[in-house]
Amino acid sequence: MNNLKNWLSAFRLRTLPLSLSGIILAAFLAIQNNVFDSAILILAIFTTLSLQILSNLANDYGDGVKGTDNEDRIGPKRAIQSGHISPSSMFKAIKINVVITIVFAALLIYAAFGLSYVVYSIIFFVLGGLAIYAAIRYTVGDNAYGYKGLGDVFVFLFFGLVSIIGSYVLFAKQIDPVVFLPACTIGFLSTAVLNLNNLRDYESDKKSNKNTLIVKIGIKNGKIYHYFLIIAAIVLSALFGILYYSSPYNYIYVIAYIPLLIHLKTVYKTKDTKQLDPELKKVALTTFVLSILLGIGHIL
């Protein structure tokens, strides 16, 4: 039981809802345009969850073997850091998870495109490969991009653009302009979650030579950058509501602005960024809720 508990902890289940935000929103957009398919949604969810777990295991392994996860880290202890799971066992789990992800991705692509959309199938196989590569290489290897300040770019691309636009194409077999503003909205908020993580870990990352964007630009500029991410998400989601207005119910999602605005005030007033750890969960949960409300509002 303890071993199972350790692995569940390594999976970091609290990060999973954020990874599903884009898929859920894309599903609502597909419902509105009468192209929704429940089988595609289910397989997309399993594929995304396996990718997120792969990323979590790889991050645990990469930061663990590099010594980045040490006594200076503020967040919950990782599996390798705590000694509950050995690096070799974690590496085996990563390899198993890669296989699982590939299987789910192949089933998803076949369910979406069958044998009729060969070009789309090839494109999505390539995207799947890139997603697996990105999940692993964030912290693993000598040239891990998370140690070069590029994590924000990849989070915006994969949690925002690829997640929503890609998921919508799985349903519709085409790209629709309606997906772009929601994709950027969720992309910015997902990047904000990573930015909070990097603000919190500024001191330990700097000591470990993990050159995140915050380590490069400093906490003051990092906070300004954070304000931009949150405000940009609010503005773009509001613009989405205006452009695709059909009834007052469309604006149900503005409820989610309240915790986001409170969050901005908290970040502004917090001098010691180590104390921002609770805000991570709040912004991740708010992003998940916003994605649902944006989707529901669009079909009302």
Side-chain angles (χ1 to χ4, degrees):
M1 287 300 295
N2 284 335
N3 196 41
L4 176 61
K5 183 179 179 180
N6 292 333
W7 280 109
L8 288 176
S9 177
F11 289 168
R12 295 169 65 196
L13 301 181
R14 70 173 186 169
T15 67
L16 301 185
L18 179 64
S19 67
L20 295 177
S21 298
I23 293 172
I24 292 172
L25 183 46
F28 278 113
L29 297 175
I31 291 172
Q32 174 66 19
N33 292 332
N34 298 312
V35 291
F36 176 75
D37 186 318
S38 58
I40 292 175
L41 174 62
I42 292 170
L43 287 170
I45 287 174
F46 279 115
T47 302
T48 300
L49 291 178
S50 61
L51 265 172
Q52 183 61 52
I53 291 172
L54 172 62
S55 177
N56 293 341
L57 296 178
N59 290 348
D60 196 311
Y61 178 81
D63 285 339
V65 298
K66 285 183 172 70
T68 307
D69 288 339
N70 50 49
E71 65 278 359
D72 294 322
R73 188 173 186 273
I74 304 301
K77 280 193 175 184
R78 299 257 184 95
I80 291 178
Q81 175 192 10
S82 63
H84 293 147
I85 296 175
S86 68
S88 60
S89 295
M90 185 65 75
F91 191 67
K92 290 178 183 177
I94 290 170
K95 290 190 288 186
I96 293 171
N97 202 273
V98 168
V99 175
I100 293 172
T101 302
I102 291 173
V103 170
F104 279 132
L107 291 172
L108 171 60
I109 292 169
Y110 182 77
F113 304 121
L115 302 176
S116 302
Y117 298 87
V118 177
V119 174
Y120 276 137
S121 294
I122 293 173
I123 291 173
F124 273 81
F125 269 114
V126 171
L127 284 175
L130 290 174
I132 291 172
Y133 178 83
I136 295 173
R137 294 290 289 175
Y138 178 63
T139 61
V140 176
D142 294 333
N143 294 310
Y145 64 86
Y147 282 69
K148 296 182 176 181
L150 296 175
D152 299 64
V153 175
F154 281 81
V155 166
F156 180 80
L157 288 175
F158 284 98
F159 280 74
L161 303 188
V162 173
S163 179
I164 295 182
I165 299 174
S167 296
Y168 183 82
V169 172
L170 289 169
F171 291 115
K173 315 316 186 263
Q174 66 180 31
I175 297 178
D176 192 308
V178 72
V179 300
F180 289 105
L181 289 174
C184 290
T185 296
I186 300 303
F188 280 131
L189 289 175
S190 298
T191 306
V193 173
L194 175 64
N195 191 58
L196 278 172
N197 182 86
N198 293 339
L199 281 168
R200 180 198 67 189
D201 294 342
Y202 171 78
E203 294 293 343
S204 60
D205 285 344
K206 190 175 182 180
K207 289 181 182 178
S208 303
N209 294 317
K210 185 177 183 179
N211 293 314
T212 63
L213 184 60
I214 297 302
V215 171
K216 290 186 174 185
I217 67 177
I219 289 177
K220 181 179 179 181
N221 290 328
K223 282 191 173 185
I224 295 173
Y225 169 58
H226 192 73
Y227 305 148
F228 163 77
L229 292 172
I230 300 293
I231 293 171
I234 291 174
V235 171
L236 292 180
S237 59
L239 182 59
F240 173 74
I242 293 170
L243 292 177
Y244 295 94
Y245 175 83
S246 59
S247 81
Y249 296 111
N250 297 153
Y251 294 108
I252 187 175
Y253 63 86
V254 300
I255 297 171
Y257 291 171
I258 298 173
L260 289 177
L261 294 173
I262 294 174
H263 164 71
L264 286 178
K265 182 179 179 181
T266 301
V267 173
Y268 177 77
K269 294 177 66 176
T270 301
K271 303 301 180 183
D272 184 1
T273 56
K274 294 177 182 179
Q275 297 177 9
L276 290 175
D277 185 61
E279 296 299 306
L280 275 162
K281 187 182 297 185
K282 293 177 184 177
V283 176
L285 179 59
T286 302
T287 302
F288 181 67
V289 171
L290 177 62
S291 68
I292 294 174
L293 295 180
L294 265 176
I296 292 175
H298 189 63
I299 64 176
L300 290 178

